[in-house]
Amino acid sequence: QVQLVESGGGLVQAGGSLRLSCAASGSIFSINVMAWYRQAPGKQRELVALIGRSGYRNYAGSVKGRFTISGIDKNTVNLQMNSLKPEDTAVYYCNARGLDGVRREYDSWGQGTQVTVSS
């Protein structure tokens, strides 16, 4: 079983910055992809940013140029969020996919961390 623990959420004014971190632990053979998703009240969960083992990165259009995803090599992933906007307010979830200690595929989620951006 692979566990993900997020940290770094909070309340910030528009234009400010926050840094989210996520650490994976447990029976891990490999992590192929780590990603951040978010879900605002009344909306579906959406992909914010993704990083692959090869270093490939992908961002949602709404955050491109403002958010930066990094990590994965040490079973951690960070999301640096700059120039935050009220519409970035959501619960942010960490996600990891790969193979566990017995070579089974896993798709694990963190418990979520609240990000609130005030106008």
Side-chain angles (χ1 to χ4, degrees):
Q1 192 174 5
V2 177
Q3 297 85 35
L4 302 177
V5 177
E6 302 125 331
S7 60
L11 173 65
V12 65
Q13 288 188 331
S17 299
L18 282 175
R19 183 178 177 87
L20 305 183
S21 295
C22 172
S25 62
S27 180
I28 299 171
F29 175 74
S30 68
I31 298 180
N32 298 325
V33 174
M34 295 192 83
W36 287 96
Y37 288 75
R38 68 186 180 187
Q39 188 167 19
K43 295 188 177 181
Q44 289 188 332
R45 190 173 297 190
E46 63 175 356
L47 175 67
V48 176
L50 173 152
I51 184 168
R53 174 65 63 184
S54 65
Y56 170 80
R57 292 171 172 83
N58 189 36
Y59 296 93
S62 59
V63 307
K64 199 169 292 186
R66 300 188 297 122
F67 291 12
T68 302
I69 190 169
S70 63
I72 202 173
D73 53 337
K74 296 182 179 180
N75 292 355
T76 62
V77 66
N78 303 302
L79 185 69
Q80 179 66 41
M81 305 185 293
N82 298 329
S83 302
L84 283 160
K85 304 176 181 180
E87 50 263 44
D88 294 318
T89 295
V91 177
Y92 284 69
Y93 296 91
C94 179
N95 171 258
R97 284 164 270 169
L99 297 177
D100 66 13
V102 293
R103 310 303 190 266
R104 291 175 305 196
E105 292 184 349
Y106 64 85
D107 184 353
S108 296
W109 293 87
Q111 79 284 358
T113 185
Q114 177 71 46
V115 171
T116 303
V117 184
S118 63
S119 57

